[in-house]
Amino acid sequence: MTDLFAPLQTLLDARHSCRAFRSDPVPEDVIERIVMAAGRAPSWCNAQPWRVTVTRGAETDRFRAALLDAVAHDAPQPDLPWPESYPGAHGARRRECGLQLYEAVGIARSDRTARAEQSMQNYHLFGAPHVAIIHSEAALGPYGAMDTGGFVTAFMLAATALGVASIAQASVAAHAPMIRRHFGLSDARLILCAISFGLPDPDHPANRFRTHRAGLSEIYDPRG
Ligand SMILES: Cc1cc2nc3c(=O)[nH]c(=O)nc-3n(C[C@H](O)[C@H](O)[C@H](O)COP(=O)(O)O)c2cc1C
């Protein structure tokens, strides 16, 4: 084993979704380092189908306002179809992480109004000073999207390594037509997800829980 594994494991363990940010901006050179590190992700034929549109300052606020307006008036129209169902263990894990969040912020299971309000935090970008819109070349289809998923993970790991907290958000990408209009992106770009990022609010209860992971036997299917 090389000496790279221990720092990698530390980084993987340290990353988690942040759902409350401080308003302080991330320095531009730090954002550029995160983007360049994420660009090291592998892709089929090295096509590198990703591109990332990143807001700062008043532009983040303009986008937040446009997003909230779209949520109030438009039906969701994601470029990637949302899951039809979460069978078996997938559904159980989905329920568990939702319950962990509601428990952390003190929302009762039965309180639908409070749950909806917490969910609306997605469209306030959890107070983040920056949002990264992750898009891929539509012509590259699902494999282009898959490659860009690797970019998303590398982006969030690089951010963690530089002390920047983040959260991937499919909820934001549900307003793909508005996002393309807002940023002047062509129809040839698939809007895959957003990543809100910034410095974490360490005292906020939404940031106090950590999700679990399946054990080896649930992931690994050795043969022979
Ligand atoms: C592609 C993608 C989309 C996600 N969309 C959302 C979202 O819209 N809202 C949200 O609160 N969390 C979202 N998440 C965060 C997941 O809920 C989170 O990664 C998962 O529960 C594991 O927790 P962790 O990131 O803290 O390890 C998303 C994560 C990914 C990878």
Side-chain angles (χ1 to χ4, degrees):
M1 203 189 298
T2 68
D3 56 2
L4 290 173
F5 189 74
L8 174 64
Q9 185 73 62
T10 303
L11 188 56
L12 288 164
D13 290 343
R15 190 213 55 80
H16 60 90
S17 294
C18 175
R19 291 185 179 84
F21 294 89
R22 286 163 39 182
S23 57
D24 319 48
V26 176
E28 188 56 36
D29 63 312
V30 174
I31 299 178
E32 288 175 5
R33 284 181 78 188
I34 293 170
V35 171
M36 287 306 290
R40 297 300 306 169
S43 55
W44 193 0
C45 306
N46 199 27
Q48 304 169 59
W50 45 76
R51 196 135 194 240
V52 55
T53 300
V54 180
T55 66
R56 53 197 47 69
E59 187 51 48
T60 306
D61 293 331
R62 268 195 293 278
F63 176 67
R64 214 185 323 260
L67 181 61
L68 286 164
D69 187 66
V71 169
H73 298 105
D74 307 336
Q77 252 185 284
D79 286 344
L80 298 189
W82 279 13
E84 286 166 19
S85 67
Y86 288 83
H90 308 297
R93 292 174 193 143
R94 180 176 184 236
R95 274 189 300 281
E96 186 190 32
C97 80
L99 288 176
Q100 282 181 291
L101 170 61
Y102 297 132
E103 198 169 288
V105 296
I107 294 174
R109 243 179 219 227
S110 54
D111 192 343
R112 281 171 179 252
T113 311
R115 283 165 72 140
E117 272 167 23
Q118 173 59 41
S119 185
M120 278 301 289
Q121 279 302 311
N122 272 287
Y123 309 111
H124 290 275
L125 310 173
F126 300 107
H130 304 278
V131 66
I133 302 297
I134 309 288
H135 41 104
S136 72
E137 191 65 38
L140 275 66
Y143 272 97
M146 178 171 153
D147 292 341
T148 306
F151 178 89
V152 166
T153 298
F155 184 107
M156 295 193 291
L157 289 174
T160 303
L162 290 165
V164 174
S166 64
I167 180 165
Q169 291 174 274
S171 48
V172 173
H175 293 277
M178 177 284 282
I179 292 174
R180 265 190 295 272
R181 266 197 317 278
H182 185 89
F183 291 113
L185 302 174
S186 97
D187 286 347
R189 304 300 302 173
L190 282 184
I191 308 297
L192 300 185
C193 72
I195 304 176
S196 291
F197 68 95
L199 300 180
D201 177 349
D203 300 324
H204 196 287
N207 289 335
R208 281 206 210 116
F209 75 96
R210 296 293 175 268
T211 51
H212 304 125
R213 290 299 186 271
L216 184 66
S217 65
E218 285 182 81
I219 304 173
Y220 182 47
D221 179 18
R223 305 292 176 103

